[in-house]
Amino acid sequence: MLTFRARFVPGVAVMYRVVLATGLATALTGCSLGSSSITSGFAEQDSSSSLSTASLSPSFKSLGLGGDPAAHREVKVAAIDKAPSGTFEKAAPGVLADRDYSHTSLNAEMARDIINAYRKKHGLKPLKLNAELTEAAKAHSRDLAKWDRISHYGSDGSNPWDRVKRAGYRARLTAENVGTGQVSFKEVMRGWEESPGHNKNLLTPDATNMGIALVQDPKTEFKSFWTLVIAAPM
């Protein structure tokens, strides 16, 4: 039977296509994102504090990369929201009001080069920008901004694998990092490097392609919504 096994931690997701000879396994070992679908397995929570920026409050430092699920929890806000209850986090009101996002932007080629330089230091091959993965990343960042939250689930209930497939990329593996509230790509990259789960995704050995997106909305509490999708084709 062809199925999918997923590993989620807050702000991090990696999914592999695997063949299971018999049955389906569902593991819920300490996952902060709640219940899984029947074909998804969830791994341990990564609750490390990923940002050290002085302007962030202590309660937000890890929340910016999804790291403190107990601190900010919110129930579904509308009937049309299909994200499973408990799978997303919201920012406290005004937590980023004093940060300057007037120069926040994303240069995808520069982001690719920074990621590839980091991978090269670890002896790994570079990633190429991919249009389908970029579209998957954009779609998720837009959705996170619309609902002003951080999650690997979309408001339509989709997970990273669903979004990559929907974008037309036939993946053998896919990994997703998300970040909210960072002012620059260098800041979000630093947070990902310092967080074990995010870092593991950056250094996925078999990955060959990537897509990255930033959506900004000054009316939201999180302000900036970053999504990185890394994958390898079938």
Side-chain angles (χ1 to χ4, degrees):
M1 184 189 318
L2 182 66
T3 186
F4 306 107
R5 182 170 61 224
R7 176 175 60 80
F8 289 109
V9 297
V12 190
V14 61
M15 307 182 78
Y16 290 86
R17 173 172 284 189
V18 296
V19 176
L20 298 184
T22 57
L24 296 175
T26 303
L28 297 173
T29 56
C31 177
S32 64
L33 297 187
S35 60
S36 71
S37 68
I38 193 169
T39 57
S40 295
F42 292 75
E44 71 281 1
Q45 170 188 333
D46 171 14
S47 59
S48 60
S49 178
S50 299
L51 295 179
S52 57
T53 308
S55 59
L56 295 184
S57 67
S59 64
F60 184 78
K61 286 182 181 179
S62 54
L63 180 63
L65 292 170
D68 190 0
H72 301 276
R73 181 72 71 201
E74 184 163 306
V75 297
K76 295 178 183 179
V77 295
I80 61 172
D81 183 8
K82 297 180 181 178
S85 179
T87 64
F88 53 84
E89 299 166 28
K90 306 282 281 187
V95 69
L96 295 177
D98 60 347
R99 303 203 82 195
D100 181 7
Y101 292 87
S102 61
H103 299 292
T104 300
S105 64
L106 172 65
N107 180 318
E109 288 76 16
M110 183 186 73
R112 173 204 60 201
D113 292 346
I114 290 173
I115 291 171
N116 283 341
Y118 185 62
R119 287 174 60 87
K120 184 177 181 179
K121 287 197 304 183
H122 291 81
L124 299 175
K125 58 190 175 185
L127 304 176
K128 296 179 180 180
L129 285 170
N130 175 274
E132 288 84 6
L133 297 182
T134 296
E135 183 54 39
K138 286 180 179 178
H140 192 47
S141 283
R142 291 189 196 107
D143 191 63
L144 294 180
K146 178 181 178 180
W147 294 86
D148 196 6
R149 64 189 181 201
I150 185 168
S151 179
H152 287 298
Y153 281 99
S155 60
D156 61 354
S158 63
N159 60 43
W161 192 277
D162 297 328
R163 292 187 291 274
V164 166
K165 182 178 179 181
R166 186 183 299 162
Y169 188 97
R170 296 185 69 243
R172 174 170 54 86
L173 69 87
T174 183
E176 179 183 87
N177 281 1
V178 294
T180 51
Q182 293 80 13
V183 170
S184 67
F185 177 72
K186 288 185 178 180
E187 182 181 19
V188 73
M189 180 67 177
R190 184 171 66 249
W192 286 342
E193 289 178 17
E194 293 173 356
S195 168
H198 301 85
N199 189 60
K200 186 173 183 179
N201 282 352
L202 291 172
L203 300 179
T204 302
D206 296 334
T208 57
N209 298 123
M210 63 169 278
I212 191 164
L214 164 67
V215 170
Q216 297 175 258
D217 187 343
K219 300 185 297 297
T220 64
E221 297 296 345
F222 272 129
K223 312 300 182 187
S224 65
F225 303 82
W226 308 78
T227 302
L228 169 68
V229 181
I230 294 174
M234 292 291 289

mmCIF file of all heavy atoms in Angstrom, residues 80-97:
data_model
loop_
_atom_site.group_PDB
_atom_site.id
_atom_site.type_symbol
_atom_site.label_atom_id
_atom_site.label_comp_id
_atom_site.label_asym_id
_atom_site.label_seq_id
_atom_site.Cartn_x
_atom_site.Cartn_y
_atom_site.Cartn_z
ATOM 1 N N ILE A 80 -15.400 27.820 8.505
ATOM 2 C CA ILE A 80 -14.736 27.418 7.269
ATOM 3 C C ILE A 80 -13.280 27.017 7.499
ATOM 4 O O ILE A 80 -12.624 26.529 6.589
ATOM 5 C CB ILE A 80 -14.789 28.548 6.223
ATOM 6 C CG1 ILE A 80 -14.067 29.799 6.739
ATOM 7 C CG2 ILE A 80 -16.211 28.858 5.827
ATOM 8 C CD1 ILE A 80 -13.918 30.881 5.687
ATOM 9 N N ASP A 81 -12.782 27.219 8.698
ATOM 10 C CA ASP A 81 -11.395 26.863 9.009
ATOM 11 C C ASP A 81 -11.318 25.363 9.253
ATOM 12 O O ASP A 81 -11.865 24.841 10.216
ATOM 13 C CB ASP A 81 -10.947 27.642 10.253
ATOM 14 C CG ASP A 81 -9.496 27.393 10.591
ATOM 15 O OD1 ASP A 81 -8.792 26.736 9.787
ATOM 16 O OD2 ASP A 81 -9.051 27.845 11.657
ATOM 17 N N LYS A 82 -10.589 24.665 8.380
ATOM 18 C CA LYS A 82 -10.494 23.218 8.477
ATOM 19 C C LYS A 82 -9.181 22.747 9.101
ATOM 20 O O LYS A 82 -8.931 21.543 9.154
ATOM 21 C CB LYS A 82 -10.664 22.593 7.091
ATOM 22 C CG LYS A 82 -12.038 22.855 6.476
ATOM 23 C CD LYS A 82 -12.158 22.202 5.106
ATOM 24 C CE LYS A 82 -13.519 22.478 4.490
ATOM 25 N NZ LYS A 82 -13.628 21.877 3.136
ATOM 26 N N ALA A 83 -8.337 23.665 9.550
ATOM 27 C CA ALA A 83 -7.117 23.252 10.236
ATOM 28 C C ALA A 83 -7.500 22.543 11.523
ATOM 29 O O ALA A 83 -8.348 23.031 12.283
ATOM 30 C CB ALA A 83 -6.242 24.460 10.546
ATOM 31 N N PRO A 84 -6.921 21.375 11.794
ATOM 32 C CA PRO A 84 -7.285 20.649 13.019
ATOM 33 C C PRO A 84 -7.083 21.500 14.267
ATOM 34 O O PRO A 84 -6.108 22.244 14.370
ATOM 35 C CB PRO A 84 -6.328 19.451 13.001
ATOM 36 C CG PRO A 84 -5.972 19.271 11.563
ATOM 37 C CD PRO A 84 -5.932 20.653 10.995
ATOM 38 N N SER A 85 -8.000 21.389 15.189
ATOM 39 C CA SER A 85 -7.904 22.144 16.435
ATOM 40 C C SER A 85 -6.604 21.819 17.153
ATOM 41 O O SER A 85 -6.215 20.657 17.260
ATOM 42 C CB SER A 85 -9.090 21.800 17.344
ATOM 43 O OG SER A 85 -9.010 22.504 18.562
ATOM 44 N N GLY A 86 -5.902 22.855 17.612
ATOM 45 C CA GLY A 86 -4.656 22.664 18.332
ATOM 46 C C GLY A 86 -3.433 22.558 17.457
ATOM 47 O O GLY A 86 -2.350 22.287 17.963
ATOM 48 N N THR A 87 -3.561 22.804 16.153
ATOM 49 C CA THR A 87 -2.408 22.654 15.264
ATOM 50 C C THR A 87 -1.799 23.982 14.848
ATOM 51 O O THR A 87 -0.954 24.030 13.964
ATOM 52 C CB THR A 87 -2.798 21.891 13.980
ATOM 53 O OG1 THR A 87 -3.752 22.669 13.248
ATOM 54 C CG2 THR A 87 -3.357 20.521 14.306
ATOM 55 N N PHE A 88 -2.220 25.072 15.474
ATOM 56 C CA PHE A 88 -1.673 26.369 15.099
ATOM 57 C C PHE A 88 -1.514 27.249 16.326
ATOM 58 O O PHE A 88 -2.086 26.977 17.380
ATOM 59 C CB PHE A 88 -2.560 27.067 14.054
ATOM 60 C CG PHE A 88 -4.010 27.177 14.442
ATOM 61 C CD1 PHE A 88 -4.475 28.211 15.236
ATOM 62 C CD2 PHE A 88 -4.927 26.219 14.007
ATOM 63 C CE1 PHE A 88 -5.807 28.305 15.583
ATOM 64 C CE2 PHE A 88 -6.258 26.306 14.338
ATOM 65 C CZ PHE A 88 -6.710 27.346 15.125
ATOM 66 N N GLU A 89 -0.707 28.299 16.170
ATOM 67 C CA GLU A 89 -0.451 29.234 17.256
ATOM 68 C C GLU A 89 -0.696 30.655 16.786
ATOM 69 O O GLU A 89 -0.498 30.975 15.609
ATOM 70 C CB GLU A 89 0.993 29.091 17.741
ATOM 71 C CG GLU A 89 1.302 27.708 18.276
ATOM 72 C CD GLU A 89 2.794 27.474 18.425
ATOM 73 O OE1 GLU A 89 3.517 28.455 18.637
ATOM 74 O OE2 GLU A 89 3.226 26.323 18.302
ATOM 75 N N LYS A 90 -1.126 31.493 17.721
ATOM 76 C CA LYS A 90 -1.386 32.898 17.443
ATOM 77 C C LYS A 90 -0.445 33.755 18.279
ATOM 78 O O LYS A 90 0.013 33.349 19.339
ATOM 79 C CB LYS A 90 -2.837 33.246 17.798
ATOM 80 C CG LYS A 90 -3.881 32.355 17.124
ATOM 81 C CD LYS A 90 -4.104 32.735 15.684
ATOM 82 C CE LYS A 90 -5.001 33.943 15.575
ATOM 83 N NZ LYS A 90 -5.386 34.244 14.172
ATOM 84 N N ALA A 91 -0.162 34.954 17.790
ATOM 85 C CA ALA A 91 0.706 35.879 18.526
ATOM 86 C C ALA A 91 -0.119 36.701 19.511
ATOM 87 O O ALA A 91 -1.284 37.021 19.259
ATOM 88 C CB ALA A 91 1.423 36.800 17.557
ATOM 89 N N ALA A 92 0.493 37.047 20.621
ATOM 90 C CA ALA A 92 -0.167 37.917 21.592
ATOM 91 C C ALA A 92 -0.353 39.309 20.980
ATOM 92 O O ALA A 92 0.511 39.781 20.235
ATOM 93 C CB ALA A 92 0.672 38.014 22.862
ATOM 94 N N PRO A 93 -1.453 39.978 21.265
ATOM 95 C CA PRO A 93 -1.702 41.309 20.693
ATOM 96 C C PRO A 93 -0.569 42.288 20.991
ATOM 97 O O PRO A 93 -0.128 42.430 22.123
ATOM 98 C CB PRO A 93 -2.997 41.748 21.392
ATOM 99 C CG PRO A 93 -3.682 40.465 21.741
ATOM 100 C CD PRO A 93 -2.584 39.510 22.095
ATOM 101 N N GLY A 94 -0.087 42.944 19.933
ATOM 102 C CA GLY A 94 0.925 43.980 20.080
ATOM 103 C C GLY A 94 2.335 43.500 20.325
ATOM 104 O O GLY A 94 3.241 44.308 20.535
ATOM 105 N N VAL A 95 2.586 42.183 20.277
ATOM 106 C CA VAL A 95 3.889 41.667 20.644
ATOM 107 C C VAL A 95 5.003 42.155 19.706
ATOM 108 O O VAL A 95 6.158 42.265 20.106
ATOM 109 C CB VAL A 95 3.870 40.122 20.707
ATOM 110 C CG1 VAL A 95 3.705 39.498 19.322
ATOM 111 C CG2 VAL A 95 5.113 39.573 21.387
ATOM 112 N N LEU A 96 4.645 42.495 18.459
ATOM 113 C CA LEU A 96 5.656 42.962 17.498
ATOM 114 C C LEU A 96 5.419 44.396 17.055
ATOM 115 O O LEU A 96 5.987 44.835 16.056
ATOM 116 C CB LEU A 96 5.652 42.038 16.271
ATOM 117 C CG LEU A 96 6.091 40.604 16.531
ATOM 118 C CD1 LEU A 96 5.971 39.766 15.275
ATOM 119 C CD2 LEU A 96 7.526 40.569 17.034
ATOM 120 N N ALA A 97 4.630 45.129 17.794
ATOM 121 C CA ALA A 97 4.252 46.483 17.382
ATOM 122 C C ALA A 97 5.447 47.426 17.304
ATOM 123 O O ALA A 97 5.417 48.421 16.561
ATOM 124 C CB ALA A 97 3.212 47.048 18.352
#
